[in-house]
Amino acid sequence: DAGVTQSPTHLIKTRGQQVTLRCSPKSGHDTVSWYQQALGQGPQFIFQYYEEEERQRGNFPDRFSGHQFPNYSSELNVNALLLGDSALYLCASSATGQGEGHEQYFGPGTRLTVT
Amino acid sequence: QKEVEQNSGPLSVPEGAIASLNCTYSDRGSQSFFWYRQYSGKSPELIMSIYSNGDKEDGRFTAQLNKASQYVSLLIRDSQPSDSATYLCAVNDYGNNRLAFGKGNQVVVIP
């Protein structure tokens, strides 16, 4: 049973550029959430996609956008990159109606470095 | 804004001892509580989930939840060097499904 996958693993971009990160959820999961984790901090919620729509959004600017495809995979796009966007970007998948708490399972992450 | 606090510094425990981690949260509406383990350079791995007051045991891990006092804890019994990692506490509202995380606690198990 394949877990959550993310690509690419590492990425180096220059300030002002745009980046697209990709995520495929765990088999049987239909909800994808994205988190940003800065060094030494806990993950911060960016947004969540379900049924190809953004259902919830955290405190992130509009430079952060996303998409979910019919096969439940998802993309995170960041425009006009800033140095402060350097972080580990995590994708987590879960299944609606799964148990009590919608356990979320993380992919390996994409390490983004902005220079 | 939901806040999750893990305010103790790095925890060093000898091999075979019990490691105890605590977490407090601000939102009384929180209903689901999770502990993730994160090795250096890796992504978080779910190790425990708890939804009701009391204790929940899974192998060497025990999660404890007290909603009245708004805290959740994690005990690691018979600590092993492989338990050396950062442990993240996370909470969410039932039906909300967005996790709020603490900053994490680093655990170092000394052989």
Side-chain angles (χ1 to χ4, degrees):
Chain A
D1 180 20
V4 182
T5 61
Q6 290 186 246
S7 63
T9 305
H10 295 86
L11 206 50
I12 300 175
K13 290 287 189 178
T14 304
R15 277 180 302 175
Q17 287 188 317
Q18 179 264 344
V19 67
T20 297
L21 310 181
R22 296 175 176 84
C23 170
S24 290
K26 184 179 169 72
S27 177
H29 286 185
D30 56 8
T31 300
V32 172
S33 303
W34 287 92
Y35 294 82
Q36 180 196 65
Q37 186 176 26
L39 205 61
Q41 302 295 315
Q44 297 292 313
F45 176 78
I46 303 175
F47 44 52
Q48 182 180 93
Y49 279 84
Y50 170 65
E51 291 187 333
E52 301 180 49
E53 291 188 5
E54 182 183 294
R55 296 291 179 165
Q56 298 184 69
R57 188 177 183 93
N59 188 25
F60 279 80
D62 291 344
R63 298 187 297 108
F64 289 77
S65 64
H67 189 78
Q68 186 179 36
F69 300 93
N71 66 352
Y72 308 120
S73 67
S74 176
E75 289 183 348
L76 163 65
N77 301 292
V78 186
N79 295 322
L81 284 166
L82 304 173
L83 294 179
D85 294 332
S86 296
L88 179 66
Y89 287 85
L90 296 161
C91 167
S93 77
S94 57
T96 53
Q98 176 194 27
E100 296 181 78
H102 304 290
E103 295 177 345
Q104 294 189 22
Y105 296 87
F106 285 91
T110 294
R111 173 72 62 186
L112 173 64
T113 302
V114 182
T115 62
Chain B
Q1 175 117 6
K2 196 178 315 226
E3 291 187 359
V4 180
E5 297 222 2
Q6 296 178 257
N7 53 16
S8 53
L11 179 65
S12 292
V13 297
E15 185 174 352
I18 295 175
S20 177
L21 304 171
N22 296 313
C23 169
T24 59
Y25 58 95
S26 62
D27 186 354
R28 285 195 171 274
S30 299
Q31 300 220 7
S32 304
F33 307 87
F34 307 93
W35 284 98
Y36 286 83
R37 176 176 63 197
Q38 187 172 27
Y39 293 113
S40 180
K42 302 296 185 182
S43 64
E45 173 192 8
L46 179 64
I47 56 172
M48 289 290 286
S49 56
I50 186 166
Y51 311 109
S52 304
N53 281 328
D55 296 359
K56 179 181 178 182
E57 186 175 314
D58 184 359
R60 295 185 296 108
F61 299 102
T62 299
Q64 300 173 318
L65 174 61
N66 185 323
K67 290 186 179 180
S69 299
Q70 294 177 244
Y71 83 78
V72 57
S73 62
L74 179 71
L75 299 177
I76 307 174
R77 292 183 303 280
D78 188 24
S79 295
Q80 302 296 309
S82 60
D83 295 326
S84 297
T86 295
Y87 290 80
L88 296 161
C89 173
V91 305
N92 75 358
D93 301 329
Y94 183 67
N96 188 331
N97 205 17
R98 66 188 269 181
L99 294 175
F101 282 86
K103 290 185 177 181
N105 281 127
Q106 185 182 9
V107 172
V108 178
V109 180
I110 303 167

